[in-house]
Coordinates of all heavy atoms in Angstrom, one line a residue:
S930 N 15.5 3.0 10.3 CA 14.9 4.0 9.4 C 13.8 4.7 10.2 O 13.3 4.2 11.2 CB 14.4 3.3 8.2 OG 13.3 2.5 8.5
D931 N 13.5 5.9 9.7 CA 12.5 6.7 10.4 C 11.1 6.3 9.9 O 10.7 6.7 8.8 CB 12.8 8.2 10.0 CG 11.8 9.2 10.6 OD1 10.9 8.8 11.4 OD2 12.0 10.4 10.3
T932 N 10.4 5.6 10.7 CA 9.1 5.1 10.3 C 8.1 6.2 10.0 O 7.4 6.1 9.0 CB 8.5 4.2 11.5 OG1 9.5 3.3 11.9 CG2 7.2 3.6 11.1
L933 N 8.1 7.3 10.7 CA 7.2 8.4 10.4 C 7.5 9.0 9.1 O 6.5 9.2 8.3 CB 7.3 9.4 11.5 CG 6.2 10.5 11.6 CD1 4.9 9.9 11.8 CD2 6.5 11.4 12.8
S934 N 8.7 9.2 8.7 CA 9.1 9.7 7.4 C 8.7 8.8 6.3 O 8.2 9.2 5.2 CB 10.6 10.0 7.3 OG 10.9 11.1 8.2
L935 N 8.9 7.5 6.5 CA 8.5 6.5 5.5 C 6.9 6.5 5.3 O 6.5 6.4 4.2 CB 8.9 5.1 5.9 CG 10.4 4.8 5.8 CD1 10.7 3.4 6.5 CD2 10.9 4.9 4.4
T936 N 6.2 6.7 6.4 CA 4.7 6.7 6.3 C 4.3 7.9 5.5 O 3.5 7.8 4.5 CB 4.1 6.7 7.7 OG1 4.5 5.5 8.4 CG2 2.6 6.8 7.6
F937 N 4.8 9.1 5.8 CA 4.4 10.3 5.1 C 4.8 10.3 3.6 O 4.1 10.7 2.8 CB 4.9 11.5 5.8 CG 4.1 11.9 7.0 CD1 4.7 11.9 8.3 CD2 2.7 12.2 6.9 CE1 3.9 12.2 9.4 CE2 2.0 12.5 8.1 CZ 2.6 12.5 9.3
A938 N 6.0 9.7 3.4 CA 6.5 9.6 2.0 C 5.6 8.7 1.2 O 5.2 9.0 0.0 CB 7.9 9.1 1.9
A939 N 5.1 7.6 1.8 CA 4.2 6.6 1.1 C 2.9 7.3 0.9 O 2.3 7.1 -0.2 CB 4.1 5.4 2.0
L940 N 2.4 8.1 1.8 CA 1.1 8.7 1.6 C 1.1 9.9 0.7 O 0.1 10.4 0.3 CB 0.6 9.2 3.0 CG 0.3 8.1 4.0 CD1 -0.1 8.7 5.4 CD2 -0.9 7.2 3.5
A941 N 2.3 10.4 0.3 CA 2.4 11.6 -0.6 C 1.9 11.3 -2.0 O 1.6 12.3 -2.7 CB 3.9 12.0 -0.6
D942 N 1.8 10.1 -2.4 CA 1.4 9.8 -3.8 C 0.0 9.3 -3.9 O -0.5 8.5 -3.1 CB 2.3 8.6 -4.3 CG 2.0 8.4 -5.8 OD1 1.1 7.6 -6.1 OD2 2.7 9.0 -6.6
P943 N -0.8 9.9 -4.8 CA -2.3 9.6 -4.9 C -2.5 8.1 -5.3 O -3.5 7.6 -4.8 CB -2.8 10.6 -5.9 CG -1.6 11.1 -6.6 CD -0.4 11.0 -5.7
T944 N -1.6 7.5 -6.1 CA -1.8 6.1 -6.4 C -1.7 5.3 -5.2 O -2.5 4.3 -5.0 CB -0.8 5.7 -7.5 OG1 -1.0 6.5 -8.7 CG2 -1.0 4.2 -7.8
R945 N -0.7 5.5 -4.3 CA -0.5 4.7 -3.1 C -1.7 4.9 -2.2 O -2.1 4.0 -1.5 CB 0.8 5.1 -2.5 CG 2.0 4.6 -3.4 CD 3.3 4.6 -2.6 NE 3.8 5.9 -2.4 CZ 4.7 6.5 -3.3 NH1 5.1 5.9 -4.3 NH2 5.1 7.7 -3.0
R946 N -2.2 6.2 -2.1 CA -3.4 6.4 -1.2 C -4.6 5.6 -1.8 O -5.4 5.1 -1.0 CB -3.7 7.9 -1.1 CG -2.6 8.7 -0.4 CD -3.1 10.1 0.0 NE -3.5 10.9 -1.1 CZ -2.7 11.7 -1.9 NH1 -1.4 11.7 -1.5 NH2 -3.1 12.4 -2.9
A947 N -4.7 5.6 -3.1 CA -5.8 4.8 -3.7 C -5.7 3.3 -3.4 O -6.7 2.6 -3.1 CB -5.9 5.0 -5.2
L948 N -4.5 2.8 -3.4 CA -4.2 1.4 -3.1 C -4.6 1.1 -1.6 O -5.2 0.1 -1.3 CB -2.8 1.0 -3.4 CG -2.3 1.0 -4.8 CD1 -0.8 0.9 -4.9 CD2 -3.0 -0.2 -5.5
L949 N -4.2 2.0 -0.7 CA -4.6 1.8 0.7 C -6.1 1.9 0.9 O -6.7 1.1 1.7 CB -3.9 2.9 1.5 CG -2.4 2.8 1.7 CD1 -1.8 3.9 2.4 CD2 -2.0 1.5 2.3
A950 N -6.7 2.8 0.2 CA -8.2 2.9 0.3 C -8.9 1.6 -0.2 O -9.8 1.2 0.5 CB -8.7 4.1 -0.6
R951 N -8.4 1.0 -1.2 CA -8.9 -0.3 -1.7 C -8.7 -1.4 -0.6 O -9.6 -2.2 -0.3 CB -8.3 -0.7 -3.0 CG -8.5 -2.1 -3.4 CD -10.0 -2.6 -3.5 NE -10.1 -4.0 -3.7 CZ -10.1 -4.9 -2.8 NH1 -10.0 -4.6 -1.5 NH2 -10.3 -6.2 -3.1
L952 N -7.5 -1.4 0.0 CA -7.2 -2.4 1.0 C -8.0 -2.2 2.3 O -8.2 -3.1 3.1 CB -5.7 -2.4 1.3 CG -4.9 -3.0 0.2 CD1 -3.4 -2.8 0.5 CD2 -5.2 -4.5 0.0
R953 N -8.6 -1.0 2.5 CA -9.5 -0.8 3.7 C -10.7 -1.7 3.6 O -11.3 -2.1 4.6 CB -10.0 0.6 3.8 CG -9.0 1.6 4.3 CD -9.6 2.9 4.6 NE -10.5 3.3 3.5 CZ -10.7 4.6 3.2 NH1 -10.1 5.6 3.8 NH2 -11.5 4.9 2.2
Q954 N -11.1 -2.1 2.3 CA -12.2 -3.0 2.1 C -11.9 -4.5 2.4 O -12.8 -5.3 2.5 CB -12.7 -2.9 0.7 CG -13.1 -1.5 0.3 CD -13.4 -1.3 -1.2 OE1 -13.5 -2.3 -1.9 NE2 -13.5 -0.1 -1.6
G955 N -10.6 -4.8 2.5 CA -10.2 -6.2 2.7 C -9.0 -6.6 1.9 O -8.6 -5.8 1.0
E956 N -8.6 -7.8 2.1 CA -7.4 -8.4 1.4 C -7.7 -8.4 -0.1 O -8.8 -8.6 -0.6 CB -7.2 -9.8 1.9 CG -6.1 -10.5 1.3 CD -6.0 -11.9 1.9 OE1 -5.3 -12.1 2.9 OE2 -6.5 -12.8 1.3
A957 N -6.6 -8.2 -0.9 CA -6.7 -8.2 -2.4 C -5.4 -8.7 -2.9 O -4.3 -8.4 -2.3 CB -7.0 -6.8 -2.9
T958 N -5.4 -9.3 -4.1 CA -4.2 -9.7 -4.7 C -3.6 -8.5 -5.4 O -4.2 -7.5 -5.7 CB -4.4 -10.9 -5.7 OG1 -5.2 -10.3 -6.8 CG2 -5.1 -12.1 -5.1
V959 N -2.3 -8.7 -5.8 CA -1.6 -7.6 -6.6 C -2.4 -7.3 -7.9 O -2.6 -6.2 -8.2 CB -0.2 -8.0 -6.8 CG1 0.5 -7.0 -7.8 CG2 0.6 -8.1 -5.5
T960 N -2.8 -8.4 -8.5 CA -3.6 -8.2 -9.8 C -4.9 -7.4 -9.6 O -5.2 -6.5 -10.3 CB -3.8 -9.6 -10.4 OG1 -2.6 -10.3 -10.6 CG2 -4.6 -9.4 -11.8
E961 N -5.6 -7.8 -8.5 CA -6.8 -7.1 -8.2 C -6.6 -5.6 -7.9 O -7.3 -4.7 -8.3 CB -7.5 -7.7 -7.0 CG -8.1 -9.1 -7.3 CD -8.6 -9.8 -6.1 OE1 -8.1 -9.5 -4.9 OE2 -9.4 -10.7 -6.2
L962 N -5.5 -5.3 -7.1 CA -5.2 -3.9 -6.8 C -4.8 -3.2 -8.0 O -5.0 -2.0 -8.1 CB -4.0 -3.9 -5.8 CG -4.4 -4.4 -4.4 CD1 -3.1 -4.6 -3.5 CD2 -5.4 -3.4 -3.7
A963 N -4.1 -3.8 -9.0 CA -3.6 -3.1 -10.2 C -4.7 -2.8 -11.2 O -4.5 -1.8 -12.0 CB -2.5 -4.0 -10.8
E964 N -5.8 -3.6 -11.2 CA -6.8 -3.4 -12.3 C -7.2 -2.0 -12.5 O -7.2 -1.6 -13.7 CB -8.0 -4.3 -11.9 CG -7.8 -5.7 -12.2 CD -9.0 -6.6 -11.8 OE1 -10.2 -6.0 -11.8 OE2 -8.9 -7.8 -11.6
P965 N -7.6 -1.2 -11.5 CA -8.0 0.2 -11.9 C -6.9 1.1 -12.5 O -7.3 2.2 -13.0 CB -8.5 0.7 -10.5 CG -8.5 -0.4 -9.6 CD -7.6 -1.5 -10.1
F966 N -5.7 0.7 -12.4 CA -4.6 1.6 -12.8 C -4.0 1.1 -14.2 O -3.1 1.8 -14.7 CB -3.5 1.6 -11.8 CG -4.0 2.0 -10.4 CD1 -4.2 1.1 -9.4 CD2 -4.2 3.4 -10.2 CE1 -4.7 1.5 -8.2 CE2 -4.7 3.8 -8.9 CZ -4.9 2.8 -7.9
L967 N -4.4 0.0 -14.7 CA -3.7 -0.6 -15.9 C -4.0 0.2 -17.1 O -3.3 0.0 -18.1 CB -4.1 -2.0 -16.0 CG -3.6 -3.0 -14.9 CD1 -4.1 -4.4 -15.2 CD2 -2.1 -2.9 -14.8
D968 N -4.9 1.2 -17.1 CA -5.1 2.0 -18.3 C -4.0 3.1 -18.4 O -3.8 3.7 -19.5 CB -6.5 2.6 -18.3 CG -6.7 3.5 -17.1 OD1 -6.1 3.3 -16.0 OD2 -7.5 4.5 -17.2
R969 N -3.3 3.4 -17.3 CA -2.3 4.4 -17.3 C -1.0 4.0 -16.7 O -0.1 4.8 -16.6 CB -2.8 5.7 -16.6 CG -3.2 5.4 -15.1 CD -3.9 6.7 -14.5 NE -4.3 6.5 -13.2 CZ -5.4 6.0 -12.8 NH1 -6.3 5.5 -13.6 NH2 -5.7 5.9 -11.5
M970 N -0.9 2.7 -16.3 CA 0.3 2.2 -15.6 C 0.5 0.7 -15.8 O -0.5 0.0 -16.0 CB 0.1 2.5 -14.1 CG 1.3 2.3 -13.2 SD 1.0 2.6 -11.5 CE 0.3 4.2 -11.5
T971 N 1.7 0.3 -15.8 CA 1.9 -1.2 -16.0 C 1.8 -1.9 -14.7 O 1.9 -1.2 -13.6 CB 3.3 -1.4 -16.6 OG1 4.3 -0.9 -15.7 CG2 3.5 -0.7 -17.9
L972 N 1.7 -3.2 -14.7 CA 1.7 -4.0 -13.5 C 3.0 -3.8 -12.7 O 2.9 -3.6 -11.5 CB 1.4 -5.5 -13.8 CG 1.3 -6.4 -12.6 CD1 0.2 -6.0 -11.7 CD2 1.1 -7.8 -13.1
P973 N 4.2 -3.8 -13.3 CA 5.4 -3.5 -12.6 C 5.4 -2.1 -11.9 O 5.9 -1.9 -10.8 CB 6.5 -3.6 -13.6 CG 6.0 -4.5 -14.7 CD 4.5 -4.2 -14.7
G974 N 4.7 -1.1 -12.5 CA 4.6 0.2 -11.9 C 3.8 0.1 -10.7 O 4.1 0.8 -9.6
V975 N 2.7 -0.6 -10.7 CA 1.8 -0.8 -9.5 C 2.6 -1.5 -8.4 O 2.6 -1.2 -7.2 CB 0.5 -1.5 -9.8 CG1 -0.3 -1.8 -8.6 CG2 -0.3 -0.6 -10.8
T976 N 3.4 -2.5 -8.8 CA 4.2 -3.3 -7.9 C 5.2 -2.4 -7.2 O 5.4 -2.6 -6.0 CB 4.9 -4.5 -8.6 OG1 3.8 -5.3 -9.2 CG2 5.7 -5.3 -7.7
K977 N 5.8 -1.4 -7.9 CA 6.7 -0.5 -7.3 C 6.0 0.3 -6.2 O 6.6 0.6 -5.1 CB 7.3 0.4 -8.3 CG 8.4 -0.3 -9.2 CD 9.0 0.6 -10.2 CE 10.0 -0.1 -11.1 NZ 10.6 0.8 -12.0
H978 N 4.8 0.8 -6.5 CA 4.0 1.5 -5.5 C 3.8 0.6 -4.2 O 3.9 1.1 -3.1 CB 2.7 2.0 -6.0 CG 2.9 3.2 -6.9 ND1 3.2 4.4 -6.4 CD2 2.7 3.4 -8.2 CE1 3.3 5.3 -7.4 NE2 2.9 4.7 -8.5
L979 N 3.4 -0.6 -4.5 CA 3.2 -1.5 -3.4 C 4.4 -1.8 -2.5 O 4.4 -1.9 -1.3 CB 2.6 -2.9 -3.9 CG 1.2 -2.9 -4.3 CD1 0.8 -4.1 -5.0 CD2 0.3 -2.6 -3.1
K980 N 5.6 -1.8 -3.2 CA 6.9 -2.0 -2.4 C 7.1 -0.8 -1.5 O 7.6 -1.0 -0.4 CB 8.0 -2.2 -3.4 CG 8.0 -3.6 -4.0 CD 9.2 -3.8 -4.9 CE 9.1 -5.2 -5.6 NZ 10.2 -5.4 -6.5
V981 N 6.8 0.4 -2.0 CA 6.9 1.6 -1.1 C 6.0 1.5 0.1 O 6.4 1.7 1.2 CB 6.6 2.9 -1.9 CG1 6.6 4.1 -1.0 CG2 7.6 3.1 -3.0
L982 N 4.8 1.0 -0.1 CA 3.8 0.8 1.0 C 4.3 -0.3 1.9 O 4.2 -0.2 3.2 CB 2.5 0.5 0.4 CG 1.8 1.7 -0.3 CD1 0.5 1.2 -1.0 CD2 1.5 2.8 0.6
E983 N 4.9 -1.3 1.4 CA 5.4 -2.4 2.2 C 6.6 -1.9 3.1 O 6.7 -2.2 4.3 CB 5.9 -3.6 1.4 CG 4.9 -4.5 0.9 CD 5.4 -5.6 0.1 OE1 5.7 -5.4 -1.1 OE2 5.6 -6.7 0.7
R984 N 7.5 -1.1 2.5 CA 8.7 -0.6 3.2 C 8.2 0.3 4.3 O 8.9 0.3 5.4 CB 9.6 0.2 2.2 CG 11.0 0.2 2.6 CD 11.9 0.8 1.5 NE 11.5 0.3 0.2 CZ 11.3 1.1 -0.9 NH1 11.5 2.3 -0.9 NH2 10.9 0.5 -2.0
A985 N 7.1 1.0 4.1 CA 6.6 1.9 5.2 C 5.8 1.1 6.2 O 5.4 1.7 7.2 CB 5.7 3.0 4.6
G986 N 5.6 -0.2 6.0 CA 4.9 -1.0 6.9 C 3.4 -0.9 6.8 O 2.6 -1.4 7.7
L987 N 2.9 -0.2 5.7 CA 1.5 0.0 5.6 C 0.7 -1.2 4.9 O -0.5 -1.3 5.0 CB 1.2 1.3 4.8 CG 1.7 2.5 5.4 CD1 1.7 3.7 4.5 CD2 0.7 2.9 6.6
V988 N 1.5 -2.0 4.2 CA 0.9 -3.2 3.5 C 1.8 -4.4 3.8 O 3.0 -4.3 3.8 CB 0.9 -2.9 1.9 CG1 0.6 -4.2 1.2 CG2 -0.1 -1.8 1.6
T989 N 1.1 -5.5 4.0 CA 1.8 -6.8 4.2 C 1.4 -7.7 3.0 O 0.2 -7.8 2.7 CB 1.3 -7.4 5.5 OG1 1.6 -6.5 6.6 CG2 2.0 -8.7 5.8
K990 N 2.4 -8.2 2.4 CA 2.1 -9.1 1.2 C 2.5 -10.5 1.6 O 3.6 -10.7 2.1 CB 2.9 -8.7 0.0 CG 2.5 -9.3 -1.3 CD 3.3 -9.0 -2.5 CE 3.7 -7.6 -2.6 NZ 4.6 -7.3 -3.8
T991 N 1.6 -11.5 1.4 CA 1.9 -12.9 1.7 C 2.0 -13.7 0.4 O 1.7 -13.1 -0.7 CB 0.9 -13.5 2.7 OG1 -0.4 -13.4 2.1 CG2 0.9 -12.8 4.0
R992 N 2.2 -14.9 0.5 CA 2.2 -15.8 -0.7 C 1.4 -17.0 -0.4 O 1.6 -17.7 0.5 CB 3.6 -16.2 -1.0 CG 3.7 -17.0 -2.3 CD 5.2 -17.3 -2.7 NE 5.2 -17.3 -4.1 CZ 6.3 -17.1 -4.8 NH1 7.4 -16.7 -4.2 NH2 6.3 -17.2 -6.1
E993 N 0.4 -17.2 -1.3 CA -0.5 -18.4 -1.3 C -0.5 -19.0 -2.7 O -1.2 -18.5 -3.5 CB -1.9 -18.0 -0.8 CG -2.0 -17.5 0.6 CD -3.4 -17.1 0.9 OE1 -4.3 -17.4 0.2 OE2 -3.5 -16.4 2.0
A994 N 0.3 -20.0 -2.9 CA 0.5 -20.6 -4.2 C 1.0 -19.6 -5.1 O 2.0 -18.9 -4.8 CB -0.7 -21.3 -4.7
Q995 N 0.3 -19.3 -6.2 CA 0.8 -18.3 -7.2 C 0.2 -16.9 -6.9 O 0.5 -15.9 -7.5 CB 0.4 -18.7 -8.6 CG -1.1 -18.6 -9.0 CD -1.8 -19.9 -8.7 OE1 -1.4 -20.7 -7.9 NE2 -3.0 -20.0 -9.3
W996 N -0.7 -16.8 -5.9 CA -1.3 -15.5 -5.5 C -0.4 -14.8 -4.4 O 0.3 -15.4 -3.6 CB -2.7 -15.8 -4.9 CG -3.5 -16.6 -5.8 CD1 -4.0 -17.9 -5.6 CD2 -4.0 -16.2 -7.1 NE1 -4.7 -18.3 -6.6 CE2 -4.8 -17.3 -7.6 CE3 -3.9 -15.1 -7.9 CZ2 -5.4 -17.3 -8.8 CZ3 -4.6 -15.1 -9.1 CH2 -5.3 -16.2 -9.6
R997 N -0.5 -13.5 -4.4 CA 0.2 -12.7 -3.5 C -0.8 -11.7 -2.8 O -0.9 -10.5 -3.2 CB 1.3 -11.9 -4.1 CG 2.4 -12.8 -4.7 CD 3.6 -12.0 -5.2 NE 4.5 -12.8 -5.8 CZ 5.5 -13.5 -5.2 NH1 5.6 -13.3 -3.9 NH2 6.4 -14.2 -5.8
P998 N -1.6 -12.2 -1.9 CA -2.6 -11.3 -1.2 C -1.9 -10.2 -0.4 O -0.9 -10.5 0.3 CB -3.4 -12.3 -0.4 CG -2.8 -13.6 -0.4 CD -1.6 -13.6 -1.4
C999 N -2.5 -9.1 -0.4 CA -2.0 -7.9 0.3 C -3.1 -7.5 1.3 O -4.3 -7.6 1.1 CB -1.8 -6.7 -0.6 SG -0.5 -7.0 -1.9
T1000 N -2.6 -7.1 2.5 CA -3.5 -6.6 3.5 C -3.0 -5.2 4.1 O -1.8 -5.0 4.0 CB -3.6 -7.6 4.7 OG1 -2.3 -7.9 5.2 CG2 -4.3 -8.9 4.3
L1001 N -3.9 -4.5 4.6 CA -3.6 -3.2 5.1 C -3.1 -3.3 6.6 O -3.6 -4.1 7.3 CB -4.8 -2.3 5.1 CG -4.7 -0.9 5.8 CD1 -3.7 0.0 5.1 CD2 -6.1 -0.3 5.9
N1002 N -2.0 -2.6 6.9 CA -1.5 -2.6 8.3 C -1.7 -1.1 8.7 O -0.9 -0.3 8.3 CB -0.1 -3.0 8.4 CG 0.5 -2.9 9.8 OD1 -0.3 -2.8 10.7 ND2 1.8 -3.0 9.9
A1003 N -2.6 -0.8 9.6 CA -2.9 0.6 9.9 C -2.1 1.1 11.0 O -2.1 2.3 11.3 CB -4.4 0.7 10.3
A1004 N -1.2 0.3 11.7 CA -0.4 0.8 12.8 C 0.4 2.0 12.5 O 0.4 3.0 13.3 CB 0.4 -0.4 13.3
P1005 N 1.1 2.0 11.3 CA 1.9 3.2 11.0 C 1.0 4.5 10.9 O 1.5 5.6 11.1 CB 2.6 2.9 9.7 CG 2.7 1.4 9.7 CD 1.4 1.0 10.4
L1006 N -0.2 4.3 10.4 CA -1.1 5.4 10.3 C -1.5 6.0 11.6 O -1.7 7.2 11.8 CB -2.4 5.0 9.5 CG -2.1 4.6 8.0 CD1 -3.4 4.0 7.4 CD2 -1.6 5.8 7.2
L1007 N -1.7 5.1 12.6 CA -2.0 5.5 13.9 C -0.8 6.3 14.6 O -1.1 7.3 15.2 CB -2.4 4.3 14.8 CG -3.6 3.6 14.4 CD1 -3.8 2.3 15.3 CD2 -4.8 4.5 14.6
V1008 N 0.4 5.8 14.3 CA 1.6 6.6 14.8 C 1.6 8.0 14.2 O 1.8 9.0 14.9 CB 2.9 5.8 14.5 CG1 4.1 6.6 14.8 CG2 2.9 4.5 15.2
A1009 N 1.3 8.1 12.9 CA 1.3 9.4 12.2 C 0.2 10.3 12.8 O 0.4 11.5 13.0 CB 1.2 9.2 10.7
A1010 N -0.9 9.7 13.0 CA -2.1 10.5 13.6 C -1.7 11.0 15.0 O -2.0 12.1 15.3 CB -3.3 9.6 13.6
H1011 N -1.1 10.1 15.8 CA -0.7 10.6 17.1 C 0.3 11.7 17.1 O 0.3 12.6 17.9 CB -0.2 9.4 18.0 CG -1.3 8.4 18.4 ND1 -2.4 8.8 19.1 CD2 -1.5 7.1 18.1 CE1 -3.2 7.8 19.3 NE2 -2.6 6.7 18.7
W1012 N 1.3 11.6 16.1 CA 2.3 12.6 16.0 C 1.6 13.9 15.6 O 2.0 15.0 16.2 CB 3.3 12.1 14.9 CG 4.4 13.2 14.7 CD1 5.5 13.3 15.4 CD2 4.4 14.2 13.7 NE1 6.2 14.4 14.9 CE2 5.6 14.9 13.9 CE3 3.5 14.5 12.7 CZ2 5.9 16.0 13.0 CZ3 3.8 15.6 11.9 CH2 5.0 16.3 12.1
M1013 N 0.6 13.9 14.7 CA 0.0 15.1 14.3 C -0.8 15.7 15.4 O -1.0 16.9 15.5 CB -0.9 14.9 13.1 CG 0.0 14.6 11.8 SD -1.0 14.5 10.3 CE -1.8 13.0 10.5
E1014 N -1.4 14.9 16.3 CA -2.2 15.4 17.4 C -1.3 16.1 18.4 O -1.8 17.1 19.0 CB -2.9 14.2 18.1 CG -4.1 13.7 17.3 CD -4.7 12.5 18.0 OE1 -4.2 12.0 19.0 OE2 -5.7 12.0 17.5
D1015 N -0.1 15.7 18.6 CA 0.8 16.4 19.5 C 1.2 17.7 18.9 O 1.4 18.7 19.4 CB 2.1 15.5 19.7 CG 1.8 14.3 20.6 OD1 0.7 14.2 21.2 OD2 2.6 13.4 20.5

């Protein structure tokens, strides 16, 4: 798959950009990430956004017991930034 296209597609949505902005502060669980959006979106809706970010390689989700901590992976953002500089 085209990594650059996946990155730009993931960044095209304001909810996904907000999730990435939160992850810049550090690791967070899916529930913690979903909290600010639950007034206008369901937890499964937020999970779908996270899956798009995972597919683009921007978020890594692990499993610790019943928790699913997510972390930011900035490498695809650097690739996109380098592409734009060229």
Side-chain angles (χ1 to χ4, degrees):
S930 64
D931 178 6
T932 305
L933 194 58
S934 293
L935 290 173
T936 299
F937 283 119
L940 294 174
D942 186 273
T944 300
R945 292 192 288 266
R946 291 192 304 270
L948 290 167
L949 291 175
R951 166 53 187 89
L952 288 172
R953 282 191 317 212
Q954 300 170 14
E956 182 179 271
T958 65
V959 172
T960 304
E961 291 168 339
L962 289 169
E964 282 179 23
F966 304 101
L967 293 179
D968 60 332
R969 59 187 180 274
M970 189 180 307
T971 63
L972 183 59
V975 174
T976 300
K977 286 181 183 181
H978 282 292
L979 285 170
K980 286 182 182 179
V981 172
L982 294 170
E983 282 183 277
R984 207 169 320 131
L987 294 165
V988 169
T989 302
K990 193 186 318 178
T991 57
R992 184 176 209 153
E993 294 176 14
Q995 72 271 23
W996 307 111
R997 296 186 186 273
C999 299
T1000 55
L1001 175 66
N1002 177 17
L1006 296 173
L1007 294 173
V1008 171
H1011 289 300
W1012 179 83
M1013 288 187 290
E1014 287 175 355
D1015 290 342

